[in-house]
Amino acid sequence: HAGHVSTTPARATVKNAVPVVEAGPNRSAFEGAFLVLTATFTDAGILDTHTAVVDWGDGTKSTATVSETPGAGPRVGGAGSISARHAYGDNGLYTVTVCATDDDGGQGCDSAQVAVANVSPSLAILPAQMANEGSHIEIASATFSDPGFDNPAARTAEDFAAVIDWGD
């Protein structure tokens, strides 16, 4: 019949799309100094919200801050940035893995390398001492500092050795 519309119900299953993470370029840092990591993500699920975790590659993980890019209308997610900071206890090459998880349980990850450079210790200046020839000089406790630190999770430890140059 003309003008009649016939409809048939159909079922559609919509699968969750996982976030796509971009960890960004390889980075460099100095031991003991904070590295600020910023990554980005996109997600086809424009109503999704996200959480993120960073595996720093040295045996430690941390929850990252997620900033959702606001969209038009009811759109909440769809894209955003991930940021976190971390200090490495020792020099070396580390693989950092950033993972974003949407509220439907979909997870996407990406990695980047961080080259951490050693920082030399600094020695506190000792006071000048005078002594007669043939006498003993006793050095008071010498102190030093180093930005590196022990990290049992990474199985790294800072060890130091001292040498005295008496100038003779």
Side-chain angles (χ1 to χ4, degrees), residues 53-151:
V53 172
V54 178
D55 180 334
W56 295 101
D58 66 352
T60 59
K61 293 181 181 182
S62 62
T63 301
T65 301
V66 174
S67 298
E68 305 277 355
T69 302
R75 181 178 161 206
V76 176
S81 64
I82 299 166
S83 61
R85 69 184 204 145
H86 182 70
Y88 287 93
D90 204 5
N91 55 292
L93 184 62
Y94 300 91
T95 300
V96 177
T97 303
V98 182
C99 294
T101 305
D102 65 25
D103 55 0
D104 296 314
Q107 184 179 71
C109 300
D110 191 33
S111 298
Q113 299 289 312
V114 177
V116 179
N118 186 50
V119 176
S120 298
S122 58
L123 182 66
I125 296 174
L126 296 172
Q129 295 187 14
M130 302 280 294
N132 292 326
E133 183 177 8
S135 5
H136 293 280
I137 293 181
E138 186 173 316
I139 298 201
S141 294
T143 59
F144 70 95
S145 63
D146 186 84
F149 54 89
D150 293 349
N151 182 350

Side-chain angles (χ1 to χ4, degrees), residues 2-30:
H4 289 270
V5 177
S6 175
T7 60
T8 303
R11 252 182 215 204
T13 302
V14 178
K15 292 185 179 181
N16 182 45
V18 299
V20 176
V21 177
E22 176 55 51
N26 293 336
R27 296 163 177 83
S28 60
F30 291 105

